[in-house]
Amino acid sequence: MVAKSRVVILGAGPAGLTASIYLSRDGLSPIVITGDLLGGQLMLTSIVENFPGFPEGILGPELMDLFKNQAERFGARLVYDRVVKVDFIVRPFKIYTSNDVFEAEAVIVATGASARLLGLEAERRLMGRGVSVCATCDGAFFKGKDVAVVGGGDAAMEDALFLTQFANKVMIIHRRDRLRASPIMQQRVFSNPKISFKWNSVVKDILGEKSVEGVLINDVNSGAEEILNVQGLFVAIGHLPNTEIFKGQLELDERGYIVLKEGSKTSVEGVFAAGDVHDHKYRQAITAAGFGCMAALDVEKYLGLR
Ligand SMILES: Cc1cc2nc3c(=O)[nH]c(=O)nc-3n(C[C@H](O)[C@H](O)[C@H](O)COP(=O)(O)OP(=O)(O)OC[C@H]3O[C@@H](n4cnc5c(N)ncnc54)[C@H](O)[C@@H]3O)c2cc1C
């Protein structure tokens, strides 16, 4: 089947769904291809306390359900499939999912990013229950507690420093005997009295059934095991933008993020991008939603509606 729509949005996280709210409310009835995670990364967490409008906080999946309902109320058409290939050379653009082909005059790419994980069973089970991939989002939950950060790059050091504002103690677990982080970040973490290090160590398991009660680490040289009594574990070993299918179609930077030209415009006229798929700096639901709004308005301008 070939389905035609003036606009197709790839991804249904905060960015894609916000774009779809704007476009559907303006009468464009966009098709939104959801991928495997309708609602995006917030589906992987519990309470969200920093999204404006919810003074008591709201569960991530509940928040994303509200986004979806708002988009559908105005006529956004959700397609529960995953994009496997795109052709942005032809006009109209072609988007291939596992089952169908879609044609569009304009496309918004909002496929987000995925945090790299350690790959432990307990990590998924305790995500949002002491395990976090976002210090900015979850740091405030750890007032007066002891936490660990896994990683050795700038992002991990930034997280560790940020967490010292709340936590009692912050332990950095790193698999090597030196950091990859820039000298200035190293200087800051080494001079912070709340931060200590577990060198040459990897996380073997996360302890606790309903919340984090400790972390089992393993010395890569001696094989010795140790339990760290922490209530939080921040995994800061990087993010992967979901851009594999855009290689050769859109300009990507060296890390795979989509490069924007002006506003939400990508290297291909008529293709726009929004959210974590291009933004490796802020990575927040509210910024992703804001970028989704920008992309929708840019699409309307491109289609001559503004
Ligand atoms: C555990 C966790 C907790 C967080 N907590 C907070 C918080 O408290 N506050 C906050 O502001 N931020 C938080 N964040 C960050 C926030 O979730 C992200 O910044 C935000 O979701 C990014 O939105 P996005 O729409 O750009 O991408 P995403 O949310 O990553 O959504 C991407 C969408 O693209 C789809 N997709 C991917 N590949 C394809 C494909 N090939 N075809 C079709 N669709 C595809 C996915 O299915 C998904 O629907 C958290 C993140 C995580 C992981």
Side-chain angles (χ1 to χ4, degrees), residues 10-16 33-42 44-45 47-51 81-84 110-113 115 127 133-134 137-138 242 245 274-277 283-286 288:
L10 317 186
I33 304 175
T34 68
D36 301 333
L37 200 57
L38 168 57
Q41 294 169 62
L42 284 188
L44 307 174
T45 194
I47 193 90
V48 176
E49 289 195 322
N50 56 8
F51 199 88
D81 205 347
R82 142 170 279 276
V83 178
V84 291
T111 48
M127 187 64 71
V133 291
C134 179
C137 314
D138 298 331
N242 300 320
I245 49 175
D276 286 14
V277 76
R283 288 199 291 249
Q284 293 295 294
I286 188 70

Side-chain angles (χ1 to χ4, degrees), residues 69-272:
N69 294 346
Q70 194 169 350
E72 286 186 322
R73 174 184 163 209
F74 295 117
R77 294 170 287 162
L78 267 59
V79 173
Y80 300 86
D81 205 347
R82 142 170 279 276
V83 178
V84 291
K85 194 175 113 179
V86 293
D87 189 345
F88 293 155
I89 317 278
V90 294
R91 299 289 184 282
F93 300 122
K94 277 193 161 54
I95 298 127
Y96 301 83
T97 65
S98 325
N99 300 306
D100 297 305
V101 183
F102 296 83
E103 288 185 354
E105 286 171 56
V107 173
I108 295 176
V109 177
T111 48
S114 311
R116 279 185 209 265
L117 295 175
L118 302 167
L120 301 167
E121 180 276 326
E123 185 180 37
R124 283 236 174 257
R125 182 166 43 81
L126 295 170
M127 187 64 71
R129 292 174 173 78
V131 177
S132 174
V133 291
C134 179
T136 309
C137 314
D138 298 331
F141 293 125
F142 294 87
K143 282 198 185 94
K145 300 196 170 153
D146 294 344
V147 301
V149 174
V150 194
D154 273 344
M157 299 311 114
E158 231 171 75
D159 284 0
L161 287 163
F162 177 70
L163 288 166
T164 59
Q165 296 181 56
F166 312 99
N168 205 22
K169 277 201 283 182
V170 178
M171 274 174 259
I172 295 177
I173 304 167
H174 187 42
R175 62 187 164 159
R176 302 212 169 82
D177 61 357
R178 73 191 67 158
L179 299 171
R180 256 185 310 112
S182 56
I184 177 81
M185 292 306 279
Q186 297 204 25
Q187 202 185 329
R188 286 186 194 151
V189 287
F190 288 138
S191 59
N192 191 309
K194 280 192 174 182
I195 298 179
S196 59
F197 293 85
K198 291 289 172 190
W199 300 108
N200 299 309
S201 298
V202 291
V203 176
K204 216 173 155 197
D205 203 0
I206 306 162
L207 312 178
E209 275 309 308
K210 297 239 158 62
S211 62
V212 172
E213 290 167 11
V215 172
L216 177 66
I217 60 167
N218 187 222
D219 186 306
V220 291
N221 296 326
S222 68
E225 291 187 347
E226 185 186 350
I227 290 176
L228 305 179
N229 290 315
V230 293
Q231 296 82 53
L233 179 70
F234 287 81
V235 181
I237 53 176
H239 283 78
L240 279 182
N242 300 320
T243 53
E244 197 59 32
I245 49 175
F246 307 114
K247 278 187 184 154
Q249 297 281 333
L250 296 177
E251 186 182 340
L252 307 177
D253 71 13
E254 68 287 350
R255 288 188 285 170
Y257 286 90
I258 292 177
V259 174
L260 295 187
K261 298 295 169 191
E262 184 212 330
S264 62
K265 293 181 184 169
T266 69
S267 55
V268 174
E269 216 186 324
V271 178
F272 302 81

